[in-house]
Amino acid sequence: MQLLRRGDTGPAVAEIRATLVSLGLLPPTNGQHHGPAVFDVATEQAVRAFQQQRGMITDGIVGPATYNALAGARWRLGDRNLAYLVSQPITGDDVFALQERLLELGYDAGRPDGVFGKQTELALRSFQRDYGLGVDGMCGPATLRALRQLAPKVRGGRPVFLREQERVRMAGPRLRGKRIVIDAGHGGRDRGVLVAGASEADLMWDLARRLEGRMVATGMEALLSRGPDVCPAEAERAQFANNAGADLFLSLHVDANPSGLAQGVASFHFGTGNGPTSTVGEALAGFIQRELVARTGMLDCRIHPKTWDTLRLTRCPAVRVEVGYLTNPDDRRRLLDPTFRDIVAEGILVAVKRLYLLGKDDQPTGTFTFDDLLRYELAKAE
Ligand SMILES: [Zn+2]
């Protein structure tokens, strides 16, 4: 498709504007203006806000990824019948809402990803069978009514996330053999945050390599989601981890803010706020956050649930860390120091170790060293 950006006009622009209005990101036009729709400054700002909400690159330009996300965002549950179409799966926010609802009711629709796949159909069929509805695997008016009337069957612990927990427990405490995908943010022509010649893409690539080296030394299989000079889409990075059968997905970014005062480290896991949450992702985000704050003295910007593509589309627990603000002088000074990047790599590795130890170690946060880890792995190998 043709990219749409500021200054463009036409029906596609009208469609984009209508969606942004329906999402409350753009004020409705007052009707005095009847000319062709224009991709104006306000539209660009609204596109940026939308991209930010969805964890996409916030360039204010509507390319294929943003266009598809906008198209999907138009659908509310009940707007159309939903079913599994093998050749062209239905995607959209209505599918996401259906998956969330099924999970709330205790049916394993898989990780909610807004794509109506086989797993969603199986969950929907189970639901229909249990509630005496026609079992056709399609979410039409009758099924929808039943879904809306029912109170959640289970509280806390959705099957798909309970299985994640079980997998971590079964995997055992050793790091050896675990397969981790390390995702350095941005890359190629997308430099990410760029301040005074320092780019997020390069810094996170360097951090990823440091982490990779340590992981390989402990016997883990570390895979990088991109090469040094390319920028795969977020969904492709998630797909890479799924194809590799990864145990964990770790995404590395820095943050930026127009105010140079904003600073600190934050970690993100899959979660919808008050709906489903990846409990393993949340635990790992918590360990990473605690280790990094203790080891670096950076401001603690806490952990947060998000539905960004890399967190949503990965089938394994996934965490995204934003290691400080490149726009803040203190954080930038740290990030530019290779020793700091070593400390961060070590902190993340120890956090992964803690996850697999299931809280069964007594080393206080921030004190476990890389050498301790190697000794542990060697002792267990005997
Ligand atoms: Zn980034």
Side-chain angles (χ1 to χ4, degrees), residues 186 200 253-254 320:
H186 313 275
E200 177 182 11
H253 285 257
V254 298
R320 167 162 161 171

Side-chain angles (χ1 to χ4, degrees), residues 185-186 190-193 200-201 204 234 252-255 320-322:
H186 313 275
D190 172 15
R191 311 310 299 146
V193 183
E200 177 182 11
M204 292 305 103
E234 300 284 284
L252 308 173
H253 285 257
V254 298
D255 210 339
R320 167 162 161 171
V321 198
E322 304 214 335

Side-chain angles (χ1 to χ4, degrees), residues 63-74:
T66 302
Y67 186 83
N68 288 338
L70 280 165
R74 266 179 223 132

Side-chain angles (χ1 to χ4, degrees), residues 230-241:
V230 286
C231 183
E234 300 284 284
E236 291 173 55
R237 297 170 191 243
Q239 194 56 49
F240 174 81

Side-chain angles (χ1 to χ4, degrees), residues 188-207:
R189 265 181 298 173
D190 172 15
R191 311 310 299 146
V193 183
L194 195 60
V195 179
S199 81
E200 177 182 11
D202 290 341
L203 287 169
M204 292 305 103
W205 173 256
D206 174 88
L207 176 60

Side-chain angles (χ1 to χ4, degrees), residues 207 252-253 265-267 285-300 321-324 334 340-351 365-366:
L207 176 60
L252 308 173
H253 285 257
V265 55
S267 302
F287 288 135
I288 291 176
Q289 187 66 18
R290 276 166 42 201
E291 289 292 338
L292 294 190
V293 168
R295 285 162 194 261
T296 64
M298 291 172 98
L299 189 70
D300 184 357
V321 198
E322 304 214 335
V323 196
R334 288 181 169 110
F340 169 83
R341 299 198 291 272
D342 276 334
I343 292 169
V344 171
E346 192 161 316
I348 293 174
L349 179 64
V350 167
T365 300

